Amino acid sequence: MSETYKSGFVSILGRPNVGKSTLINSLIGEKIAIVSNKPQTTRTNIQGIKTGDDYQIVFIDTPGYHKAKDTLNRLMVQQAADSIDMADILFLMVQADEHMGPEFKNLVKILEASKAKKFLVINKLDIFKKEKAFLLAEKLFPLLDFAEVVPISARTGKNVDLLLELAVKHLPEGMPMFDSEEITTVPEKMLIAEYVREQVFEQLQDELPYRIVVETESVEDTEDGRMEISASIIVDRESHKGMVIGKQGARLKEIGTKARINLEKFFGVKIHLALWVKIRNDWADKNEFLRIQGLR
């Protein structure tokens, strides 16, 4: 360890679908946050740990900041707001065609009250021309006192190393908070559930009923080095159960196969994954299911 060691928290905030989860996965170098083109995919704060020779950063991926209309969404937005108080650096993540509506302006107002260093991170350079990103930056400059402005592509990795380098530069001095081998604080059962939920999103596409939660019921390590996992996909209507299972169980099988492959890549062991589909009416208003997602 060098004489000057730096450590701290960096919170990634922005509207839904700007690429926050893709960015944290790119920064950490492992898939710790699920990614989907569906809005509000991330429901709770996900912490990823990046450790270098002379620094340790805990990046916080937050739910997209949006207008909350029910208990679930209000708790999601509160998660994002809570992350601001613990952060040393705040990434305001946007894309070049950002719509600066009431929710965005409200987020900027909240960030303005924080004493943390602020970065403007303009994502999706792989889609938008850099000139468009520069025009957006000029509009946003007067809104906040930005320490850095970094245009990136989280998907391709363009300028992500530069963003990390600049974050380290602005970190306060401090000691590491976690072992150098740790890459996330997400509990094992929640991580497994998220991998399964990602495949529900992927396989159902436009048919997707929004009110779906996944509960990992059991995880056991076998004597031959495998993991035995049992998880339930919980919906709140009978019709949604049929959508998840599919014709002769084909869709549920595909969800399980893709989730298992991704989990095996992450854990590095063979996995047997058993999936069930259960109905729980109005689960989104019940504390036990909000706790499963880290919202209580």
Side-chain angles (χ1 to χ4, degrees):
M1 189 181 296
S2 64
E3 290 184 11
T4 302
Y5 196 92
K6 294 186 169 185
S7 66
F9 290 84
V10 175
S11 183
I12 308 170
L13 299 116
R15 299 270 295 132
N17 278 22
V18 294
K20 297 182 296 296
S21 296
T22 303
L23 176 59
I24 196 170
N25 290 339
S26 182
L27 286 163
I28 301 304
E30 291 279 358
K31 186 172 184 176
I32 61 168
I34 66 173
V35 176
S36 167
N37 59 6
K38 301 293 182 182
Q40 289 96 55
T41 299
T42 301
R43 289 178 176 169
T44 188
N45 290 344
I46 303 291
Q47 293 189 355
I49 305 162
K50 182 73 173 181
T51 303
D53 292 337
D54 56 359
Y55 70 87
Q56 185 176 84
I57 305 178
V58 181
F59 289 101
I60 308 171
D61 177 25
T62 66
Y65 200 87
H66 63 284
K67 187 175 182 180
K69 297 180 180 180
D70 57 21
T71 301
L72 176 64
N73 282 270
R74 283 195 297 273
L75 289 171
M76 287 164 58
V77 170
Q78 187 60 48
Q79 287 273 309
D82 288 346
S83 76
I84 295 172
D85 294 335
M86 65 192 300
D88 300 287
I89 300 172
L90 300 170
F91 287 178
L92 174 58
M93 194 167 181
V94 299
Q95 57 189 52
D97 65 343
E98 186 71 43
H99 172 62
M100 287 181 277
E103 290 88 6
F104 181 81
K105 292 176 181 177
N106 188 39
L107 175 58
V108 169
K109 188 176 181 180
I110 294 171
L111 296 183
E112 188 178 21
S114 171
K115 295 181 180 178
K117 295 286 182 67
K118 301 169 187 71
F119 286 23
L120 177 60
V121 181
I122 305 175
N123 191 29
K124 303 189 181 180
L125 283 189
D126 52 312
I127 298 175
F128 300 104
K129 292 182 179 180
K130 60 182 180 182
E131 289 79 13
K132 195 165 187 177
F134 294 151
L135 287 173
L136 177 67
E138 288 180 354
K139 290 181 181 178
L140 296 180
F141 280 152
L143 301 183
L144 287 170
D145 181 18
F146 292 109
E148 303 286 354
V149 179
V150 190
I152 69 163
S153 169
R155 189 178 67 83
T156 67
K158 183 178 179 64
N159 288 344
V160 171
D161 286 345
L162 172 62
L163 181 62
L164 175 62
E165 180 183 325
L166 291 171
V168 172
K169 173 185 170 184
H170 288 277
L171 279 180
E173 291 186 18
M175 298 302 294
M177 298 165 281
F178 299 93
D179 290 339
S180 58
E181 290 79 18
E182 291 190 60
I183 61 170
T184 184
T185 61
V186 179
E188 183 179 72
K189 282 190 173 183
M190 183 181 291
L191 190 68
I192 291 167
E194 287 290 272
Y195 268 77
V196 174
R197 188 164 66 92
E198 179 181 48
Q199 287 308 312
V200 175
F201 279 33
E202 182 69 25
Q203 301 305 319
L204 267 68
Q205 294 294 333
D206 293 337
E207 295 179 69
L208 178 75
Y210 179 65
R211 289 175 177 264
I212 281 182
V213 66
V214 178
E215 179 182 14
T216 304
E217 296 183 344
S218 65
V219 181
E220 294 182 10
D221 296 320
T222 64
E223 291 183 358
D224 60 358
R226 292 182 298 113
M227 290 177 71
E228 292 277 350
I229 299 171
S230 177
S232 294
I233 300 169
I234 298 166
V235 299
D236 64 0
R237 295 182 189 175
E238 183 68 39
S239 60
H240 292 169
K241 181 176 180 179
M243 291 166 63
V244 174
I245 293 174
K247 188 176 181 180
Q248 296 181 332
R251 183 170 277 157
L252 183 62
K253 182 178 180 181
E254 186 70 6
I255 290 169
T257 298
K258 294 289 180 62
R260 176 184 56 77
I261 290 170
N262 289 335
L263 286 166
E264 286 180 343
K265 288 179 182 177
F266 183 84
F267 288 108
V269 299
K270 288 292 183 182
I271 288 174
H272 176 261
L273 174 62
L275 292 181
W276 315 91
V277 183
K278 299 179 179 179
I279 302 170
R280 296 289 186 272
N281 294 328
D282 299 321
W283 68 258
D285 294 319
K286 296 177 180 176
N287 282 338
E288 63 176 303
F289 296 113
L290 295 171
R291 276 196 296 270
I292 289 170
Q293 299 168 95
L295 291 169
R296 286 295 195 197

